[in-house]
Amino acid sequence: MASGNPFFDDIRTKSEVDPPQNEDMMDVSELVNDPAQNALKPVTVSSSVRELLECPVCLNAMYPPIHQCSNGHTLCSGCKPRVHNRCPTCRHELGNIRCLALEKVAASLELPCKFQSFGCMGIYPYYSKLKHESQCVYRPYNCPYAGSECTVIGDIPYLVAHLKDDHKVDMHNGSTFNHRYVKSNPQEVENATWMLTVFSCFGQYFCLHFEAFQLGMAPVYIAFLRFMGDDNDAKNYSYSLEVGGNGRKLIWQGVPRSIRDSHRKVRDSFDGLIIQRNMALFFSGGDRKELKLRVTGRIWKEQ
């Protein structure tokens, strides 16, 4: 799914790429707002310029303050403490020398979004690129499967195929569902992820989660729906869940959460149908030694 450019397309964690937040950033804003600077037109970035702006330690793009040694070798401020004030290239002492020239060169550049291979055709100023990429609508999604720490990322069609082929997730067409969850030993509920089902309706995909986990000292069950897309689109849909037995019934109605929000984040916010274990066993009937829950529901599009 990647475009093959390790410098601009490598998807790194936020802590690795965020520019430092300190008072030194004000010096760069002065450079950017300098009338002489504004007169510079954006330039095409050659591979040699990319290399100049690449930290030799972490290989990420450098943002102010960019440090240099007395021989002119540069590195990012995040890596400076890691090299114990020694230049990683020549081993000379770094001191506190700023490479203002390189910072000014960077301010004159415009670069493509690193999610270009996913469809983003935008070109952005060097110092605005990170902010755009953190919000880019084309940025890939994480795999919504909750049964393992899956690290696969991609667009929605890719993830749907991945869920079906690699995780063997049940796939259903339609906006209504009727699922039965059975477990022979309902006492064993600690942090157990049970099931993920994917529904296709209204030209979209939805993930129905059902699992058991500990809520403080109390074991509970939770069912919730996630939308395979962005939050703005998720708000166009609603869903309801219903569970019951022995003449009692629980009903939940809500808005599906985007898979931009992690499974754990949704679960820990209790944004779904929560069933206490004693109530779940009451719904199951019998001698309370086997869980037999039937969860029904539907998805609809708001007008």
Side-chain angles (χ1 to χ4, degrees):
M1 297 297 295
S3 68
N5 188 321
F7 178 64
F8 292 101
D9 293 337
D10 187 21
I11 300 176
R12 306 180 188 276
T13 62
K14 186 176 186 297
S15 62
E16 290 178 320
V17 298
D18 276 352
Q21 301 295 319
N22 56 40
E23 64 276 6
D24 288 330
M25 291 294 287
M26 296 302 296
D27 296 336
V28 178
S29 65
E30 293 171 3
L31 289 174
V32 176
N33 294 325
D34 190 319
Q37 171 63 39
N38 292 334
L40 293 175
K41 294 183 178 180
V43 298
T44 302
V45 184
S46 66
S47 59
S48 60
V49 175
R50 291 175 182 172
E51 292 173 0
L52 285 174
L53 291 169
E54 183 179 284
C55 174
V57 178
C58 66
L59 304 182
N60 288 324
M62 293 188 290
Y63 293 87
I66 298 175
H67 296 279
Q68 70 174 24
C69 72
S70 57
N71 289 327
H73 303 125
T74 57
L75 82 162
C76 73
S77 59
C79 288
K80 185 184 177 187
R82 297 167 56 188
V83 298
H84 306 291
N85 206 37
R86 290 286 176 181
C87 174
T89 304
C90 68
R91 307 307 299 169
H92 281 204
E93 186 174 351
L94 284 171
N96 292 303
I97 307 173
R98 286 273 296 275
C99 190
L100 297 177
L102 188 56
E103 291 176 4
K104 192 167 184 177
V105 168
S108 71
L109 304 178
E110 289 192 340
L111 304 172
C113 173
K114 72 176 179 181
F115 302 127
Q116 189 177 58
S117 63
F118 291 96
C120 183
M121 297 293 105
I123 304 295
Y124 300 92
Y126 187 84
Y127 292 132
S128 302
K129 182 170 174 283
L130 276 183
K131 182 178 180 180
H132 160 76
E133 289 171 349
S134 70
Q135 304 170 349
C136 179
V137 297
Y138 292 98
R139 69 191 188 279
Y141 299 87
N142 295 316
C143 172
Y145 190 75
S148 64
E149 297 297 327
C150 183
T151 59
V152 169
I153 60 171
D155 57 20
I156 299 303
Y158 178 82
L159 288 182
V160 169
H162 165 69
L163 289 170
K164 179 181 179 181
D165 298 336
D166 298 329
H167 293 299
K168 311 302 180 185
V169 167
D170 289 335
M171 314 291 288
H172 295 273
N173 292 318
S175 58
T176 61
F177 43 88
N178 186 337
H179 284 285
R180 190 164 182 257
Y181 301 98
V182 178
K183 187 172 178 61
S184 59
N185 187 354
Q187 306 302 320
E188 299 176 359
V189 299
E190 294 185 6
N191 298 317
T193 299
W194 280 24
M195 186 175 291
L196 171 66
T197 307
V198 174
F199 294 89
S200 174
C201 55
F202 308 109
Q204 307 289 344
Y205 291 94
F206 300 83
C207 297
L208 176 64
H209 295 264
F210 181 84
E211 67 177 81
F213 73 107
Q214 292 290 135
L215 180 56
M217 297 298 293
V220 299
Y221 305 93
I222 185 170
F224 57 88
L225 197 72
R226 286 202 291 167
F227 175 75
M228 296 189 70
D230 281 328
D231 186 60
N232 287 339
D233 294 324
K235 293 175 181 177
N236 295 325
Y237 301 89
S238 294
Y239 74 101
S240 64
L241 297 173
E242 182 177 309
V243 63
N246 286 329
R248 275 72 170 178
K249 183 186 297 184
L250 289 176
I251 299 175
W252 165 267
Q253 181 172 318
V255 176
R257 296 279 286 272
S258 166
I259 61 171
R260 295 285 188 204
D261 290 334
S262 70
H263 154 268
R264 183 178 294 275
K265 180 178 180 179
V266 178
R267 187 196 73 180
D268 292 350
S269 67
F270 316 129
D271 194 1
L273 175 64
I274 296 179
I275 315 160
Q276 300 291 334
R277 184 172 67 183
N278 287 338
M279 182 63 73
L281 293 175
F282 176 77
F283 288 156
S284 300
D287 56 7
R288 296 189 169 215
K289 292 184 178 180
E290 185 176 39
L291 182 72
K292 295 179 180 179
L293 284 181
R294 185 176 297 279
V295 178
T296 62
R298 70 183 184 96
I299 306 166
W300 66 91
K301 189 172 184 178
E302 297 290 351
Q303 299 300 323

